[in-house]
């Protein structure tokens, strides 16, 4: 029978069952084994991800109509329509990076400013109301943001400038930015809070204003945490699916046509935020919603795209954590 | 004379800069408030008109006025129950292993560190990748025992509530297990934090009075950490309810008008149904989607409130 160890301030006496030494050792061993098995499961998951993604991607590259060189360097992604299929991943990567870039344009400055405000300026009561609101924002499912982008942000943008298409990268980017805001904010705020008081007091003591203290002392001291927060939120934005599937459109941009007319046109066609673009995740959604026949090259191509996505987020997460652990300045 | 960072320039200008920065920060902070207000307000305005009791019972329909969220709601309940049954024991077990069995040998310690790093990485994997993993492993079982339409192993018939087949097919169990993979890192990290918050003095007291390591965990550490673990688990479950991308890969957008009858039954979940409605060209369906979002957000807010309540009510400060 279990009871809370502490009830109304006094300790309830323990009731360890006394077994023979042998039985006890056996029982402890069994428990430890099952816990180790639990732990192994998460390692198995990682291995399964690697095996599934890269195994199927390998099968994709072994197909006659596909080459690894075209996949890595090609500027045309056209697996479903047309007589000639093209598997060059850059149009999808470009879509993903464009959405991520626009999202970060909003999330990083706003998130950092909110974090500085919460950590350095806000009164305790303001903090107590703003933090739960940010938590609510963090808990909203991404499909809701996608709906918001499609029905509110896009019409809003169109009323400002009518060059925006119904599906456009800018509105998806704003929605992803709102989604990332709480992540940037709460992780950066943790980093700012970890800077000890003595640093602030020292700066105040030599005549710094509050602005000097926050921007020239506290932010640099917490920089590693802020960079890590940004990297983690970039990883989230890169892997975001439902928002871009709803609001960014389902046509991969043809970069080749743009670059054929010259480098400037090519770059402009790649970064135009008013038009639609397909991201890596949106392509996977399109395939798994049944636009492709099973086990053709276009079906397997989604595994190759998923492998590329996995590598991107993996690198971002690892670097983010490395920075957080290694460059964390320890203050005593 | 060296010009340090605090070389007094014009006092007025520095103070002005200071004031402007505060105002800028306040504008930044209130913009996130504004975003939330617009989001919730617009969804309420669009969706409240359609919200009535029959919305919970009706099935998805071609007519916007008659469309309801019934099957999707039941699908969400089934899938999340399966997800919780799989993810919570595994997650809490892993957390106990990581926190309570700190090894002394260097090479075992390295394994520990590797497991911890592995979990942080799993937490960063995009959820659609989990969907693809679930599709290949659970739904198709690598294609080694027949395919989804012609399963290699069956137990009972599709009319029985205990019907089971391998590969699992696009059913509730495959969806639940996939979601369990998605939320497992969240459960592990939250449980670890709860266990870490239990003071070592409790552990030492238990061990000193003759408890074995497991008796110590079972009767001292775990009971003290239960509120934290429950809070984390509820938040993980609310993540699971809102997750659409992996479910989209597993279930596809199918037209489901029934409640699942067994674990292999086809299903749809609330976020998927909302995605379906939001993607339709007719704007009437956007109102239906907004109504669905209201229901989804209401469920999530209830979960969050429950988590906060448990945290407030049961978490006594342990010294």
């Amino acid at each position: 029978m279990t009871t809370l160890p502490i009830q109304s301030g006094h300790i309830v006496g323990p009731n360890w069952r006394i077994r023979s030494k042998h039985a006890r050792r056996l029982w402890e061993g069994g428990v430890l084994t099952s816990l180790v098995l639990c732990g192994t499961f998460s390692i198995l998951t990682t291995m399964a991800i690697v095996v599934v993604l890269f195994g199927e991607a390998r099968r994709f590259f072994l197909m006659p109509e596909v080459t690894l060189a075209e996949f890595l360097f090609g500027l045309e992604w056209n697996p479903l329509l047309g007589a000639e299929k093209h598997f060059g991943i850059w149009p999808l990567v470009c879509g993903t990076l464009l959405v991520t870039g626009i999202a970060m344009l909003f999330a990083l400055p706003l998130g950092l400013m909110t974090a500085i405000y919460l950590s350095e300026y806000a009164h305790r009561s303001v903090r107590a109301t703003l933090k739960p609101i940010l938590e609510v924002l963090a808990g909203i499912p991404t499909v809701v943001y996608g709906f918001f982008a499609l029905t509110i942000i896009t019409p809003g943008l169109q009323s400002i400038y009518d060059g925006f298409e119904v599906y456009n990268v800018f509105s998806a980017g704003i929605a992803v930015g709102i989604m990332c805001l709480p992540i940037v904010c709460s992780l950066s705020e943790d980093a700012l809070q970890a800077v000890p008081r003595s640093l602030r007091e020292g700066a105040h003591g030599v005549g710094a204003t509050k602005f000097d203290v926050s921007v020239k002392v506290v932010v640099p001291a917490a920089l590693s945490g802020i960079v890590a927060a940004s990297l983690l939120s970039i990883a989230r934005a890169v892997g975001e699916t439902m928002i871009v599937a709803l609001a960014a459109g389902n046509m991969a941009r043809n970069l080749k046509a743009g670059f054929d007319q010259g480098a400037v046109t090519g770059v402009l066609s790649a970064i135009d935020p008013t038009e639609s673009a397909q991201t890596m995740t949106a392509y996977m959604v399109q395939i798994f919603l049944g636009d492709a026949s099973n086990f053709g090259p276009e079906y397997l191509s989604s595994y190759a795209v998923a492998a590329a996505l996995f590598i991107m987020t993996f690198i971002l997460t690892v670097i983010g954590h490395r920075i957080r652990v290694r460059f964390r300045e320890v203050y005593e | 004379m060296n010009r340090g960072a605090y070389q007094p320039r014009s006092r007025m200008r520095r103070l002005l800069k200071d004031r402007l920065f505060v105002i800028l920060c306040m504008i930044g902070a209130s913009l996130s408030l504004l975003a939330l207000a617009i989001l919730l307000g617009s969804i309420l305005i669009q969706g409240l008109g359609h919200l009535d009791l029959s919305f919970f019972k009706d099935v998805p329909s071609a007519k916007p006025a008659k469309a309801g969220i019934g099957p999707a709601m039941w699908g969400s309940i089934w899938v999340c129950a399966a997800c919780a049954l799989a993810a919570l024991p595994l997650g809490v077990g892993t957390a106990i292993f990581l926190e309570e069995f700190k090894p002394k040998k260097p090479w075992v310690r390295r394994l520990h560190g590797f497991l911890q790093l592995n979990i942080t990485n799993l937490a960063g994997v995009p959820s659609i990748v989990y969907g693809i993993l679930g599709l290949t492993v659970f739904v198709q079982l690598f294609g080694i025992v027949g395919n989804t339409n012609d399963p290699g192993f069956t137990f009972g018939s599709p009319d029985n509530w205990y019907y089971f087949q391998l590969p699992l097919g696009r059913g509730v169990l495959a969806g639940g297990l996939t979601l369990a993979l998605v939320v497992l890192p969240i459960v592990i990290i939250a449980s670890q934090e709860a266990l870490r918050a239990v003071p070592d003095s409790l552990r030492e007291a238990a061990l000193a009075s003759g408890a074995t390591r497991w008796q110590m965990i079972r009767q001292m550490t775990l009971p003290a950490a239960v509120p934290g673990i429950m809070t984390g688990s509820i938040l993980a479950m609310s993540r699971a309810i809102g997750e659409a991308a992996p479910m989209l890969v597993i279930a596809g957008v199918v037209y489901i008008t029934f409640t699942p009858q067994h674990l292999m039954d086809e299903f749809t979940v609330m976020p998927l149904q909302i995605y379906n409605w939001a993607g339709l060209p007719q704007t009437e369906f956007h109102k239906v989607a907004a109504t669905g979002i209201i229901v989804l957000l209401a469920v999530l807010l209830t979960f969050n409130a429950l988590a906060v309540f448990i945290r407030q009510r049961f978490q006594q400060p342990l010294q």
Side-chain angles (χ1 to χ4, degrees):
Chain A
M1 181 160 158
T2 54
T3 46
L4 266 178
I6 294 182
Q7 282 174 342
S8 57
H10 66 88
I11 295 188
V12 176
N15 52 342
W16 324 127
R17 272 172 66 189
I18 297 163
R19 296 194 190 88
S20 78
K21 213 174 188 177
H22 188 73
R24 208 153 62 186
R25 197 168 290 164
L26 204 71
W27 180 247
E28 291 288 308
V31 166
L32 183 58
T33 314
S34 50
L35 291 180
V36 168
L37 285 180
C38 287
T40 323
F41 186 81
S42 72
I43 290 182
L44 278 181
T45 311
T46 310
M47 280 163 60
I49 292 177
V50 172
V51 167
V52 167
L53 292 188
F54 291 92
E56 300 291 296
R58 188 173 151 272
R59 269 176 60 200
F60 170 66
F61 290 124
L62 288 177
M63 287 188 153
E65 49 277 68
V66 193
T67 59
L68 184 59
E70 195 207 355
F71 182 77
L72 289 180
F73 303 111
L75 293 176
E76 221 178 325
W77 183 265
N78 188 14
L80 295 172
L81 305 167
E84 220 176 319
K85 292 179 177 177
H86 290 285
F87 294 99
I89 199 175
W90 278 101
L92 297 184
V93 173
C94 153
T96 296
L97 292 184
L98 197 52
V99 171
T100 309
I102 294 167
M104 289 306 121
L105 221 56
F106 285 92
L108 291 187
L110 275 183
L112 190 55
M113 274 194 312
T114 313
I116 293 176
Y117 178 69
L118 280 178
S119 159
E120 306 297 314
Y121 290 95
H123 190 263
R124 198 182 297 147
S125 60
V126 179
R127 239 176 92 89
T129 42
L130 255 174
K131 283 215 87 166
I133 287 172
L134 283 170
E135 274 173 34
V136 171
L137 264 182
I140 290 177
T142 57
V143 67
V144 177
Y145 286 113
F147 175 79
F148 182 62
L150 191 66
T151 60
I152 303 296
I153 300 179
T154 303
L157 288 174
Q158 280 171 331
S159 71
I160 296 168
Y161 168 64
D162 38 302
F164 282 105
E165 293 180 2
V166 176
Y167 299 110
N168 66 76
V169 175
F170 199 66
S171 113
I174 294 177
V176 175
I178 299 176
M179 184 204 82
C180 288
L181 193 68
I183 307 169
V184 181
C185 181
S186 70
L187 288 177
S188 312
E189 207 224 331
D190 288 346
L192 294 172
Q193 288 279 307
V195 177
R197 245 181 107 88
S198 57
L199 253 73
R200 298 188 177 89
E201 284 164 356
H204 275 306
V206 294
T209 60
K210 190 107 192 181
F211 168 78
D212 292 328
V213 174
S214 349
V215 176
K216 294 176 185 165
V217 175
V218 179
V219 170
L223 198 62
S224 69
I226 293 170
V227 171
S230 317
L231 286 178
L232 293 181
S233 69
I234 291 175
R236 272 295 292 275
V238 166
E240 176 41 46
T241 308
M242 299 317 288
I243 298 174
V244 289
L246 271 170
N250 258 336
M251 277 296 287
R253 287 187 180 179
N254 191 342
L255 297 183
K256 193 160 177 292
F259 276 100
D260 281 346
Q261 293 167 21
V264 179
T265 333
V267 171
L268 283 182
S269 77
I271 63 167
D272 184 1
T274 61
E275 287 179 15
S276 74
Q278 195 170 38
T279 65
M280 299 162 87
T281 48
Y283 174 70
M284 286 185 251
V285 167
Q286 191 187 6
I287 290 299
F288 289 112
L289 279 186
D291 276 14
S293 66
N294 260 17
F295 307 110
E298 59 273 22
Y299 181 81
L300 283 180
S301 72
S302 60
Y303 283 89
V305 173
L309 182 71
F310 176 71
I311 293 174
M312 283 167 79
T313 54
F314 179 78
I315 291 173
L316 284 169
T317 325
V318 169
I319 296 178
H321 278 282
R322 273 285 155 79
I323 290 179
R324 211 154 75 154
V325 173
R326 184 158 299 177
F327 298 103
R328 180 187 293 152
E329 299 203 31
V330 182
Y331 301 101
E332 289 302 323
Chain B
M1 196 178 126
N2 72 331
R3 295 178 59 86
Y6 309 121
Q7 192 71 34
R9 265 165 277 170
S10 150
R11 188 181 147 77
M12 281 302 284
R13 260 179 61 192
R14 284 173 66 219
L15 288 181
L16 191 69
K17 213 173 178 185
D18 192 41
R19 285 311 306 165
L20 283 178
F21 185 68
V22 180
I23 292 169
L24 197 72
C25 279
M26 280 171 85
I27 291 173
S30 47
L31 273 179
S32 55
L33 250 169
L34 188 73
L36 184 69
I38 295 177
L39 194 143
L40 292 181
S42 66
I43 284 168
L44 283 177
I45 288 170
Q46 287 185 74
L48 268 185
H50 193 72
L51 189 67
D52 50 20
L53 263 181
S54 62
F55 183 71
F56 295 95
K57 283 184 239 155
D58 285 348
V59 299
S61 151
K63 293 196 189 96
K66 282 191 172 171
I69 204 164
M73 207 171 63
W74 284 107
S76 277
I77 294 172
W78 273 75
V79 169
C80 284
C83 165
L85 285 179
L88 298 187
L90 269 176
V92 176
T94 309
I96 293 176
F97 173 65
L98 279 172
E99 286 302 314
E100 303 292 331
F101 291 89
K102 298 264 192 220
K104 293 193 188 70
K105 284 182 201 147
W107 67 272
V108 192
R109 199 181 293 164
R110 203 164 293 160
L111 273 182
H112 241 76
F114 176 69
L115 182 56
Q116 189 72 63
L117 185 71
N118 181 51
I119 288 161
T120 21
N121 278 329
L122 280 181
V125 173
S127 56
I128 190 162
V129 172
Y130 284 112
I132 293 177
L133 179 71
L135 180 75
T136 317
V137 178
F138 301 130
V139 175
Q140 301 166 348
L141 209 66
F142 302 105
I144 46 175
V145 274
N147 61 38
T148 315
N149 298 324
D150 178 26
F153 169 80
T154 55
F155 178 76
S157 82
D159 300 329
N160 302 126
W161 62 269
Y162 53 81
Y163 175 64
F164 184 81
Q165 69 174 47
L166 279 177
L168 296 176
R170 294 176 180 275
V172 171
L173 188 59
L177 290 177
T178 308
L179 269 190
L181 294 182
V182 177
V183 299
L184 190 60
I186 307 174
V187 176
I188 294 176
I189 291 169
S191 309
Q192 271 187 290
E193 269 164 21
L195 286 170
R196 220 173 286 152
V198 178
D200 271 340
S201 55
L202 279 184
R203 297 194 179 90
E204 283 155 10
L207 289 178
S209 65
T212 63
R213 195 156 272 269
W214 174 243
Q215 285 170 333
M216 168 202 96
I217 295 166
R218 184 78 183 78
Q219 301 189 37
M220 275 292 183
T221 327
L222 264 187
V226 154
I229 293 177
M230 272 173 73
T231 310
S233 309
I234 292 173
L235 293 180
M237 283 304 117
S238 69
R239 167 89 191 271
I241 292 178
E243 200 62 66
M247 291 299 96
L248 194 143
V249 178
I250 298 292
V253 169
V254 279
Y255 184 69
I256 300 276
T257 54
F258 50 85
T259 308
Q261 298 302 316
H262 49 81
L263 283 174
M264 303 298 127
D265 223 349
E266 285 188 313
F267 69 101
T268 184
V269 291
M270 285 197 282
L272 206 53
Q273 188 64 57
I274 292 165
Y275 168 76
N276 202 356
W277 281 326
L280 290 173
Q282 302 97 316
T283 43
E284 293 84 27
F285 274 111
H286 289 174
K287 295 205 168 70
V288 185
T291 316
I293 289 174
I294 293 176
V295 176
L296 183 63
L297 288 183
V299 173
L300 294 183
L301 277 182
T302 317
F303 268 53
N304 280 11
L306 198 65
V308 171
F309 173 74
I310 290 176
R311 194 161 53 191
Q312 303 287 351
R313 173 73 180 76
F314 295 103
Q315 213 151 33
Q316 301 147 325
L318 295 168
Q319 298 298 329

